[in-house]
């Protein structure tokens, strides 16, 4: 069965929309099969036949009713018990689309993508509200961060919301706050590096930032997940700063959450 995905997107309504290049019409009884890469659990959807010869076909599959768990799901086509992985030439990435998708309040986030070997797959992750980091820099003795509030349900407009950036060091219980700016779903926050050192003069440690925003029920963790870069802890490195001989640098955890490392 000669089928290649030329365009793949999960719409704002969590519908998997596919455009296929096909050698011949899909036969009655053809199924789209999604297989969880770790557990092997499968979900299948019976596809209709285009009913005529064509070089293209379009499919729309609602994902929410399939009860898909978090993780990565590989896509197959199955006919008469035989199945083959669904090839794709669409990289499946648009930062603008991901930003728009993240504006809605959700519990799960669905994303289609092309694997390294050129096959269609889905990535499903929990979608709790988060402050998505887009830029980090040190300047004029301050640590600054800006980004997008994701999955909060706030409107992307000119409304201003009261907000506070908080830095916590669990090891010692040290705590530091600074006023942040939130307009619509865009945020900017800055904190003095001198204040960071003064808040816990005992020595080296890891600080965990979060953002409290008026209208959002719980503090938002700062992280970076709305892109196609996995494993930022190894791949993404920011410039560091040195204050009174102490090294300060931002970085990410294995779960792509932002941390501030002082000393070490």
């Amino acid at each position: 069965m000669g089928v290649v995905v030329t365009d793949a997107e999960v719409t704002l309504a969590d519908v998997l929309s596919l455009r296929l290049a096909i050698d011949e019409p899909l036969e009655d009884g053809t199924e789209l099969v999604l297989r969880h890469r770790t557990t092997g659990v499968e979900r299948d959807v019976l596809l209709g036949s285009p009913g005529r010869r064509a070089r293209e076909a379009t499919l729309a599959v609602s994902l929410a009713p399939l009860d898909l768990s978090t993780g990565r799901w590989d896509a197959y086509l199955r006919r008469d018990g035989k199945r083959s992985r669904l090839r794709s030439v669409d990289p499946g990435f648009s930062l603008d689309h991901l930003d728009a998708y993240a504006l809605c309040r959700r519990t799960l986030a669905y994303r289609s993508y092309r694997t390294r070997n050129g096959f269609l797959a889905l990535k499903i992750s929990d979608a709790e509200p988060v402050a998505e980091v887009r830029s980090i820099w040190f300047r004029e003795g301050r640590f600054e961060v800006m980004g997008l509030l994701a999955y909060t349900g706030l409107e992307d407009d000119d409304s201003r919301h009261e907000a506070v950036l908080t830095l916590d060091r669990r090891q010692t219980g040290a705590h530091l706050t600074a006023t942040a700016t939130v307009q619509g779903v865009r945020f900017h926050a800055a904190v003095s590096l001198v204040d960071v050192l003064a808040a816990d003069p005992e020595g080296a440690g890891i600080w965990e930032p979060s953002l409290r925003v008026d209208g959002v029920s719980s503090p938002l963790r700062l992280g970076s997940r709305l892109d196609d870069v996995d494993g930022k802890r190894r791949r993404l490195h920011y410039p560091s700063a040195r204050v009174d001989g102490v090294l300060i640098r931002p970085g990410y955890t294995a779960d792509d959450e932002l941390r501030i490392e002082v000393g070490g």
Side-chain angles (χ1 to χ4, degrees), residues 61-188:
V61 177
S62 182
L63 297 175
L66 299 181
D67 192 27
L68 302 175
S69 60
T70 58
R72 297 179 186 268
W73 295 73
D74 295 307
Y76 299 80
L77 285 183
R78 181 168 61 198
R79 169 66 178 160
D80 295 331
K82 298 179 181 180
R83 71 180 186 185
S84 58
R85 289 190 69 178
L86 191 52
R87 291 195 169 275
S88 176
V89 295
D90 180 8
F93 176 74
S94 165
L95 188 58
D96 289 341
H97 173 75
L98 292 179
D99 283 356
Y101 185 84
L103 292 180
C104 297
R105 190 186 299 274
R106 305 175 185 276
T107 56
L108 289 177
Y110 303 86
R111 184 189 307 176
S112 63
Y113 71 100
R114 183 183 61 188
T115 69
R116 292 181 180 178
N117 295 327
F119 297 103
L120 177 68
L122 293 178
K123 179 182 178 182
I124 303 176
S125 55
D126 292 321
E128 61 183 14
V130 66
E132 176 74 10
V133 174
R134 286 292 160 80
S135 298
I136 293 174
W137 61 92
F138 291 120
R139 61 183 178 185
E140 299 178 353
R142 298 180 301 176
F143 166 74
E144 297 191 41
V145 58
M146 62 182 299
L148 171 83
L149 304 183
Y151 308 123
T152 62
L154 295 179
E155 295 291 335
D156 187 12
D157 54 22
D158 293 330
S159 301
R160 290 188 175 273
H161 307 273
E162 297 291 331
V164 174
L165 174 70
T166 299
L167 294 178
D168 290 291
R169 188 180 172 197
R170 293 188 183 181
Q171 298 93 330
T172 63
H175 182 80
L176 179 65
T177 61
T179 301
T181 300
V182 173
Q183 181 171 331
V185 295
R186 315 291 165 171
F187 75 89
H188 172 268

Side-chain angles (χ1 to χ4, degrees), residues 183-198:
Q183 181 171 331
V185 295
R186 315 291 165 171
F187 75 89
H188 172 268
V191 61
S192 166
L193 297 178
V194 172
D195 290 345
V196 173
L197 295 181

Side-chain angles (χ1 to χ4, degrees), residues 9-17 97 101 106 110:
E9 180 183 68
V10 176
T11 70
L12 301 184
D14 290 335
V15 172
L16 177 61
S17 176
H97 173 75
Y101 185 84
R106 305 175 185 276
Y110 303 86

Side-chain angles (χ1 to χ4, degrees), residues 40-59:
V41 170
E42 294 186 356
R43 299 287 188 268
D44 55 76
V45 178
L46 183 63
L47 304 179
S49 171
R52 59 183 177 85
R53 292 200 169 275
R55 293 183 179 274
E56 288 189 341
T58 57
L59 300 175

